[in-house]
Amino acid sequence: MANDAFDRLTFLGWRGGLAASVAGLAVSFFLFGFAVIYWRNADMDFMVIYSALAMNDGKPQQFLDHTAYLTILSVKSWFQLLHGFGLFDAYTLPAIPSAANPTAFDAAMTSAVRAARVLAFMVATGCVLIFAGLARLILRDWRVALLATLAFAFSGGAAVHSRILRSELIAALPVIFALMILIAAGRRASRVRPLALAAAAGLCVLGLENKVQAILLIGALPFVILPFGSADSASVAFWSHRRSRWLVTAVAAIVATAAAWAAWPLADIGFDRGLLDAAHFVPLAFGRFGIYQMALLLLAGACMVAYAAIWRVSAAETLASMSTIAAGASIALLALNLDYNSGNVIAVFNPLEKMITFADTTTTNAANGSSLTAIFLLLLDGLGSALARYTFVLHSSPRPTVFLTWLIMPGIVYAWRRGERLAALQALVLMLAAIGIDTLGVRRGLKSEYFIFTDPLIILAGAILLDAARDLRFHKWTYPIAMTLFGLHIAVGQAEPVKYAFKRTGPESICEWNPYYMPLMPLPWCKR
């Protein structure tokens, strides 16, 4: 219909809209990413590439801070693949020319950085397409799913991670995809639904293996998923009435036990007190490691029971799902053995302790102290700073999704008042999760690299409200408001890449951390 704003906004259709999104990402990448001088985004480009080059030379993983484990492994394998096809020579550390020959060094590092940036672009593009597919499973209207995909593709987080090497993308997106899988599986009961939960658990662990900050998003999932059910959520007949359901549940428990047994040596290493003391990890609760990890497991179990009670999931399916979750998480933990390093293992099993080692003094003192007042004041300060950024007026931010929050918050009230209370509640819990995670992210400056953890939550909240308020597409103001938001979204989202492309500062600041993070790779412009 001519006055249907959704039709006007998605005139290219589903495939055409996705193709246009990918094309837009490619244009932005090649203009403001690929061609940018190789040292412009050295943090973390250099650290990841250096570690990948060293590992191709037979050395252990060099960069362990985040841990960036899967990012480094992917770059390492990508370099090997390109070298195997004769497209890339400098794929090991000895293959990089000496800093004494700046011209040759620059040429080799330019080749390495550009190759790695191409990989980052391909991974980001793949994530956009996966997001699109999962959004279409969740949302009733494909047009709303396409609009959500466009918002994600050109968000501040995606803009950053589609052109530089960072650990956040492969940490955040697996957990976001896990959430979307849980939403889709929760709404439509089936015999194989426990397998979907296994996949979600595995994705969460993979995300945690790449950056320990993913624990914040993982910790929010049990609460966030509670309102995401429907009349079709109740267990199918197989899980409610068939006698064989208990046999399948028992098999699931056996598989979970076997997977946990296989992963147990990693857990033993993860809580090895000698390794933890050597890494300067300090337990956060009662002077013992493993307390909050166990609390998180119990919380997840309690939320599963609550979800089962709310949406009529049978006891057999709930128990089978608990087993498949344990199996999926344990199997994903085995990925740490692909290129084993005890530093990665202790970080994954003790993510908050790892995060504290890089926190500022105020945060560290509050976390290690006994004063609840100090912790409360710290959180209150973070909340105020996060909300100020959401206004954009009180604290400007290179984050276009803040403009969506201007519509989402009143949209929640509007949906509630017009009877779409479940949609309002779903959007609310997504927004609360985003605000909570950003509140903690403020302690690290809430840099644009961290937007990838919460941008998808904000976008999903807006999409759910838009999907519920279907009559809004006929309102006379919908189209002009949407076009204005799209313009702001693209302009603000691309601001950071454009700024970096046209910066005029030199690479001298890299010299401050080069000896620590890249001791075997002197740089031509740094004095030794």
Side-chain angles (χ1 to χ4, degrees):
M1 297 175 64
N3 59 344
D4 189 331
F6 288 5
D7 281 341
R8 297 173 67 186
L9 291 168
T10 59
F11 64 93
L12 291 175
W14 175 255
R15 293 183 179 178
L18 291 182
S21 298
V22 172
L25 287 172
V27 170
S28 176
F29 168 72
F30 283 107
L31 287 179
F32 308 116
F34 181 79
V36 173
I37 192 166
Y38 74 92
W39 44 256
R40 175 58 67 203
N41 298 304
D43 177 25
M44 300 171 36
D45 278 5
F46 274 17
M47 300 174 190
V48 170
I49 290 172
Y50 173 80
S51 202
L53 294 172
M55 291 172 76
N56 277 337
D57 189 37
K59 294 180 174 59
Q61 181 178 329
Q62 304 292 301
F63 182 81
L64 298 164
D65 287 2
H66 294 167
T67 63
Y69 174 62
L70 298 178
T71 298
I72 293 170
L73 276 186
S74 63
V75 174
K76 169 183 175 289
S77 300
W78 176 242
F79 283 177
Q80 288 177 335
L81 179 66
L82 293 178
H83 179 73
F85 281 103
L87 300 174
F88 184 55
D89 293 327
Y91 80 111
T92 65
L93 206 54
I96 300 293
S98 166
N101 187 347
T103 302
F105 180 91
D106 288 348
M109 282 301 293
T110 297
S111 177
V113 170
R114 287 183 174 179
R117 287 176 182 170
V118 169
L119 177 63
F121 169 74
M122 291 192 299
V123 171
T125 302
C127 288
V128 168
L129 295 177
I130 294 171
F131 182 93
L134 292 173
R136 192 161 183 180
L137 283 178
I138 293 171
L139 302 167
R140 293 175 297 177
D141 194 328
W142 68 266
R143 299 171 299 177
V144 177
L146 181 59
L147 294 175
T149 301
L150 291 171
F152 172 63
F154 295 99
S155 63
V160 169
H161 292 286
S162 63
R163 68 198 74 241
I164 64 174
L165 292 173
R166 295 283 307 188
S167 58
E168 290 86 1
L169 180 70
I170 303 180
L173 267 299
V175 185
I176 294 297
F177 295 155
L179 170 63
M180 298 174 79
I181 289 171
L182 291 174
I183 292 172
R187 287 178 171 176
R188 303 176 185 90
S190 70
R191 287 189 178 190
V192 298
R193 180 161 58 179
L195 295 180
L197 273 67
L203 287 170
C204 287
V205 172
L206 290 175
L208 186 62
E209 288 172 351
N210 207 56
K211 191 175 181 72
V212 292
Q213 277 84 343
I215 191 64
L216 305 178
L217 192 51
I218 293 169
L221 289 193
F223 294 106
V224 171
I225 198 62
L226 285 176
F228 284 97
S230 71
D232 297 325
S233 296
S235 295
V236 296
F238 173 83
W239 289 109
S240 299
H241 306 297
R242 297 283 181 87
R243 291 182 179 179
S244 56
R245 70 188 186 277
W246 293 112
L247 176 61
V248 174
T249 300
V251 171
I254 292 171
V255 172
T257 302
W261 177 82
W264 183 254
L266 291 171
D268 197 34
I269 293 294
F271 292 109
D272 183 281
R273 193 60 189 249
L275 291 174
L276 292 169
D277 289 342
H280 305 292
F281 281 20
V282 178
L284 295 184
F286 308 108
R288 296 178 64 86
F289 291 99
I291 300 295
Y292 70 84
Q293 294 90 328
M294 184 59 65
L296 182 58
L297 291 176
L298 294 174
L299 173 65
C303 287
M304 288 187 71
V305 172
Y307 186 95
I310 295 169
W311 302 109
R312 296 173 294 129
V313 179
S314 71
E317 185 179 0
T318 302
L319 291 173
S321 297
M322 289 179 176
S323 294
T324 57
I325 285 174
S330 298
I331 292 170
L333 279 172
L334 296 177
L336 290 169
N337 287 325
L338 293 174
D339 201 299
Y340 175 81
N341 189 301
S342 61
N344 288 328
V345 178
I346 63 172
V348 168
F349 280 91
N350 303 275
L352 294 184
E353 286 85 355
K354 181 66 173 179
M355 291 169 62
I356 289 298
T357 62
F358 294 98
D360 56 64
T361 304
T362 304
T363 304
T364 302
N365 291 340
N368 294 331
S370 58
S371 174
L372 293 178
T373 302
I375 296 175
F376 175 76
L377 292 176
L378 202 64
L379 291 174
L380 192 63
D381 177 70
L383 176 62
S385 182
L387 293 177
R389 286 168 165 83
Y390 278 30
T391 67
F392 192 80
V393 177
L394 297 176
H395 193 301
S396 61
S397 170
R399 186 179 194 177
T401 47
V402 298
F403 302 113
L404 294 181
T405 65
W406 296 2
L407 296 180
I408 291 172
M409 300 313 292
I412 292 172
V413 177
Y414 173 76
W416 184 272
R417 296 185 63 179
R418 71 192 300 269
E420 296 284 354
R421 296 191 172 183
L422 186 58
L425 185 58
Q426 292 169 349
L428 179 61
V429 296
L430 287 169
M431 286 302 303
L432 289 177
I435 293 170
I437 294 169
D438 282 341
T439 294
L440 297 173
V442 164
R443 304 314 309 173
R444 292 295 303 274
L446 198 58
K447 298 181 290 186
S448 57
E449 293 88 344
Y450 300 157
F451 297 163
I452 199 68
F453 284 102
T454 49
D455 275 352
L457 299 178
I458 297 171
I459 291 166
L460 284 174
I464 287 168
L465 290 174
L466 196 59
D467 199 40
R470 298 169 65 85
D471 55 324
L472 282 179
R473 68 187 192 273
F474 298 113
H475 196 284
K476 66 178 182 179
W477 289 107
T478 299
Y479 183 75
I481 290 175
M483 290 303 296
T484 302
L485 279 176
F486 269 123
L488 284 171
H489 200 83
I490 293 174
V492 176
Q494 298 299 305
E496 283 293 290
V498 172
K499 182 183 76 173
Y500 271 94
F502 288 97
K503 282 181 71 173
R504 290 291 178 266
T505 56
E508 289 77 17
S509 61
I510 302 171
C511 301
E512 298 174 6
W513 48 259
N514 167 245
Y516 178 79
Y517 284 108
M518 301 189 300
L520 300 178
M521 184 188 286
L523 299 175
W525 56 86
C526 297
K527 296 181 179 180
R528 287 276 179 154

